[in-house]
Amino acid sequence: MSFETPLPPYNASDPYATFLNSSCLDLLLIEMVPMAYRLAQELSIPREDCSRLVEGEERREAAFRRLETLGYRVGQGLVERFSRDRPRFTDTLDVIKFLCKDIWTLVFRKQIDNLKTNHRGVYVLTDNGFRPFARMSMASPPEAALRAQPFLWFPCGIIRGALASMGVNATVQAEILDLPAAVFHIKTKPSKA
């Protein structure tokens, strides 16, 4: 998959040649959060009693589960497709580096800016120019962080799905320190032997 403009002699009938319009991906990522909230609301209304509306926290949790699950499946698919020609990773740090360099570049057109680890299963990935936040603006920083948080759920799912597909069981949490930066905390779980 390439974000580059294809050079003239490209074979459109090649089954492995795929192209992605990055503007479409940006718009899809922007629309996923409102869609998840709408679906959480619509699916929660019982058929016989349409008067019950989902409370704010319950609706937020349902949207989180939906977005994180979608991201999980996308992360698995990306790893299945783009790691098939690579040798198997032997170290968790190599898996995280692959995620930061290759997978992140495929999805967000840039590498992770900073990777930190304590070498005991905790990794902190920092993206100082997170693409979905690039065009966000709010009146106050606390409001911006609160409204931008749901846009991190899908990328958290991508990370968790990619890691799971490469054999690393982990939890992923995200936080916003200052827009447009995003910080992802990965805590690996010991494998059950």
Side-chain angles (χ1 to χ4, degrees):
M1 185 176 307
S2 175
F3 290 106
E4 314 301 322
T5 304
L7 297 175
Y10 71 90
N11 186 357
S13 65
D14 180 9
Y16 298 109
T18 56
F19 304 100
L20 175 69
N21 186 326
S22 59
S23 298
C24 290
L25 181 63
D26 289 344
L27 294 172
L28 175 67
L29 291 174
I30 289 169
E31 186 55 31
M32 285 180 77
V33 172
M35 180 225 34
Y37 277 108
R38 281 192 308 271
L39 284 174
Q41 184 63 44
E42 290 171 8
L43 294 176
S44 68
I45 298 173
R47 300 212 190 282
E48 58 275 349
D49 179 21
C50 294
S51 62
R52 180 185 174 269
L53 295 178
V54 177
E55 300 300 321
E57 191 59 38
E58 187 180 333
R59 184 175 169 209
R60 185 175 169 89
E61 185 64 29
F64 164 74
R65 277 194 310 274
R66 181 171 300 280
L67 288 168
E68 207 268 346
T69 303
L70 285 169
Y72 185 86
R73 182 58 196 115
V74 168
Q76 284 181 320
L78 286 170
V79 168
E80 288 171 10
R81 171 96 191 252
F82 294 103
S83 68
R84 67 177 174 211
D85 297 331
R86 294 177 172 267
R88 192 118 172 105
F89 295 106
T90 57
D91 185 23
T92 304
L93 185 59
D94 292 335
V95 170
I96 300 290
K97 286 179 182 177
F98 173 73
L99 174 78
C100 293
K101 291 179 181 177
D102 297 329
I103 299 297
W104 209 257
T105 302
L106 281 170
V107 179
F108 298 110
R109 290 186 283 164
K110 65 183 287 294
Q111 293 183 4
I112 287 285
D113 295 316
N114 195 357
L115 165 64
K116 294 181 183 175
T117 181
N118 66 356
H119 297 287
R120 284 182 249 141
V122 177
Y123 302 89
V124 178
L125 285 58
T126 306
D127 189 343
N128 294 321
F130 189 55
R131 283 193 58 81
F133 293 168
R135 294 179 185 90
M136 278 191 186
S137 62
M138 300 288 162
S140 65
E143 177 195 2
L146 183 65
R147 296 194 71 192
Q149 187 68 33
F151 291 90
L152 294 175
W153 298 339
F154 182 75
C156 282
I158 290 175
I159 293 170
R160 199 171 68 82
L163 293 174
S165 189
M166 292 184 280
V168 177
N169 192 9
T171 60
V172 181
Q173 295 178 334
E175 67 178 334
I176 303 165
L177 299 177
D178 188 27
L179 283 178
V183 179
F184 298 90
H185 299 274
I186 301 171
K187 292 180 183 154
T188 60
K189 298 176 186 175
S191 61
K192 297 175 185 175

